[in-house]
Amino acid sequence: MLHFELGEYQTRLQKTKSKMMDLGIEILIVTDPANINYLSGYDGWSFYVHQVLIVIVDEDQPFWIGRGQDANGAKVTAWIDENHIIPYTDDYVQSVSKHPMDFVSNILKEIGQSKRTIGVEMDTYYFTAKCYSQLQTGLPQSKFVDATNLVNRVRIIKSDKEIAYMKNAARIVEKAMQKGIDSIQEGVRECDVVAEIYHAQISGTDQFGGDYPAIVPLLPSGEKTSTPHLTWTDELYKAGDPVILELAGCYRRYHSPLARTVFIGEPNPKVKYLADVVVEGLNATLDAIKPGITCEEVESVWRQTIAKSGFEKESRIGYSMGLNYPPDWGEHTASLRQGDQTILQPNMTFHLIPGIWLDQYGIEVSEAFRVTETGCEVFADFPRELFIKPELKIY
């Protein structure tokens, strides 16, 4: 079931070890499920319990440690051999007397790795304060250092096959976005539109199916479009409502996000103007992207373009993204914002989402793209405009 050649996984592992050695890290305890997948291929909805991948600088293979009932999942999806798949018993699961990191500590002691410098992903969703305290207690002779985003930084430049998966995801999001726009209409329930979107996301295309995206469809409507991260209700759409759709296609855990805005009825001139400003800024920013410039320089193009229209945007306008699990498709590395000096390189991938949210309404139009040798390539092929749905005329 491997989604990449064995050599690609081994290259990823070697790059990770190189970064570990640069930082003086001898053992890396990986808890982010995207990083576990990236290095081993393991793919399962088991991240609600503690699981780790242990990378040791002088070991050819990493060790997967997880819940016993998930061990066969590791055997099926990961490239590592069975001797490197170590399950813990179910009495460690959500127990008040035992913790999975106690088990991890004991394994490291058994294989003679209890007195080394250990990197842990301190700032991930899946590594808790309890995880850290139990490791410190269980491995008192080890030195712990923060290795947050170490693997994420390795992931930031994609292979050609990763890019191909993201292009598949783009075909899926095109279909899902069109289904969402077609389904939005005065008198239709928000939840029914999202049900249609979900069907399109998972059914995919005739050539390939879709995976579950790391973020649910975000569909604020009406005044709720003044903020970006609301989902949906069972309320009916009304004439005069703007509706934001922020979605993603996902293929083999690789994402291609896309945002567009719909208006039900005839939008007032202020809404139209804001949409024009966002699209103009987005187009100008995409035209400026090329290898060698910094994330900060990309954001500067957007800021200068919209400034002449009198608008400002304080938050970042994009971020590196690709392989991930809930709750986020972002990679938590490079951001398109002031102060980020990350230099763009070919096959870096970003979600450029320069939305503007005012007090009563907002507009989002976004594109996912990869940096090419000379500029950038947008993943999805979808019109950049404010979509207008006519009011229903009842006679």
Side-chain angles (χ1 to χ4, degrees), residues 240-289:
D241 276 350
V243 185
I244 286 174
L245 302 90
E246 183 178 345
L247 319 171
C250 185
Y251 180 75
R252 295 185 174 176
R253 304 301 332 133
Y254 284 84
H255 293 77
S256 182
L258 187 68
R260 292 292 186 268
T261 304
V262 172
F263 200 92
I264 303 173
E266 183 61 30
N268 67 53
K270 291 183 179 180
V271 173
K272 282 185 175 180
Y273 181 63
L274 181 59
D276 289 342
V277 169
V278 170
V279 171
E280 179 187 10
L282 176 62
N283 289 339
T285 304
L286 288 169
D287 288 343
I289 291 168

Side-chain angles (χ1 to χ4, degrees), residues 222-226 242 357-362:
E223 190 173 345
K224 291 177 289 186
T225 59
S226 62
W357 303 278
L358 304 180
D359 289 341
Q360 302 299 319
Y361 58 90

Side-chain angles (χ1 to χ4, degrees), residues 33 37 43-47 198 201-202 209-216 248-255 324-326 329:
N37 175 289
D43 182 23
W45 191 283
S46 53
F47 41 85
Y198 262 120
Q201 286 176 316
I202 305 307
D211 208 340
Y212 60 91
I215 302 177
V216 302
C250 185
Y251 180 75
R252 295 185 174 176
R253 304 301 332 133
Y254 284 84
H255 293 77
N324 228 324
Y325 289 80
W329 53 54

Side-chain angles (χ1 to χ4, degrees), residues 224-354:
K224 291 177 289 186
T225 59
S226 62
T227 186
H229 297 136
L230 300 182
T231 54
W232 63 88
T233 71
D234 60 358
E235 296 175 358
L236 303 180
Y237 287 114
K238 305 184 299 297
D241 276 350
V243 185
I244 286 174
L245 302 90
E246 183 178 345
L247 319 171
C250 185
Y251 180 75
R252 295 185 174 176
R253 304 301 332 133
Y254 284 84
H255 293 77
S256 182
L258 187 68
R260 292 292 186 268
T261 304
V262 172
F263 200 92
I264 303 173
E266 183 61 30
N268 67 53
K270 291 183 179 180
V271 173
K272 282 185 175 180
Y273 181 63
L274 181 59
D276 289 342
V277 169
V278 170
V279 171
E280 179 187 10
L282 176 62
N283 289 339
T285 304
L286 288 169
D287 288 343
I289 291 168
K290 60 183 178 181
I293 68 171
T294 65
C295 288
E296 181 178 57
E297 290 173 317
V298 173
E299 190 276 342
S300 178
V301 173
W302 155 263
R303 186 159 30 87
Q304 292 175 26
T305 302
I306 67 169
K308 62 188 180 185
S309 303
F311 291 106
E312 296 181 355
K313 176 179 169 67
E314 295 181 358
S315 57
R316 66 182 182 175
I317 64 165
Y319 45 83
S320 179
M321 60 83 209
L323 164 69
N324 228 324
Y325 289 80
D328 188 16
W329 53 54
E331 290 180 328
H332 302 177
T333 50
S335 290
L336 303 177
R337 62 182 170 199
Q338 296 181 62
D340 194 320
Q341 296 297 314
T342 304
I343 298 172
L344 300 192
Q345 300 177 59
N347 274 14
M348 285 185 173
T349 55
F350 289 84
H351 184 207
L352 175 59
I353 180 165

Side-chain angles (χ1 to χ4, degrees), residues 58-196:
D58 40 18
E59 285 277 345
D60 291 337
Q61 295 186 36
F63 290 90
W64 178 94
I65 298 178
R67 189 179 184 182
Q69 62 185 241
D70 295 314
N72 280 342
K75 294 174 184 177
V76 170
T77 61
W79 64 268
I80 53 181
D81 64 39
E82 293 190 13
N83 292 329
H84 287 76
I85 296 172
I86 305 174
Y88 58 77
T89 54
D90 225 54
D91 53 344
Y92 281 92
V93 175
Q94 298 165 1
S95 169
V96 297
S97 60
K98 306 173 76 171
H99 193 277
M101 293 303 163
D102 301 335
F103 185 86
V104 171
S105 298
N106 289 333
I107 293 296
L108 289 174
K109 290 175 185 175
E110 289 176 13
I111 62 176
Q113 303 288 341
S114 62
K115 301 178 182 179
R116 307 192 80 174
T117 299
I118 299 176
V120 290
E121 297 176 315
M122 294 287 287
D123 195 20
T124 67
Y125 304 115
Y126 311 91
F127 187 73
T128 66
K130 185 71 170 179
C131 288
Y132 190 45
S133 66
Q134 292 304 115
L135 285 173
Q136 288 180 308
T137 300
L139 298 166
Q141 295 179 295
S142 293
K143 175 186 176 183
F144 290 91
V145 298
D146 187 0
T148 302
N149 284 348
L150 186 154
V151 181
N152 304 58
R153 290 286 176 184
V154 175
R155 289 166 44 197
I156 197 169
I157 297 178
K158 310 301 186 292
S159 69
D160 289 343
K161 193 164 189 179
E162 289 178 292
I163 295 296
Y165 286 172
M166 296 178 77
K167 289 181 176 181
N168 284 354
R171 304 291 79 76
I172 294 171
V173 79
E174 291 165 357
K175 180 181 175 184
M177 182 63 73
Q178 190 63 60
K179 178 60 71 172
I181 293 172
D182 290 345
S183 301
I184 290 172
Q185 188 60 266
E186 180 183 359
V188 174
R189 294 192 305 173
E190 295 178 4
C191 56
D192 291 330
V193 171
V194 173
E196 296 288 342

Side-chain angles (χ1 to χ4, degrees), residues 19-39:
K19 283 191 175 291
M20 289 168 60
M21 289 185 285
D22 289 343
L23 298 171
I25 295 172
E26 297 169 290
I27 297 174
L28 179 64
I29 297 179
V30 180
T31 52
D32 185 325
N35 292 339
I36 292 174
N37 175 289
Y38 183 75
L39 294 175

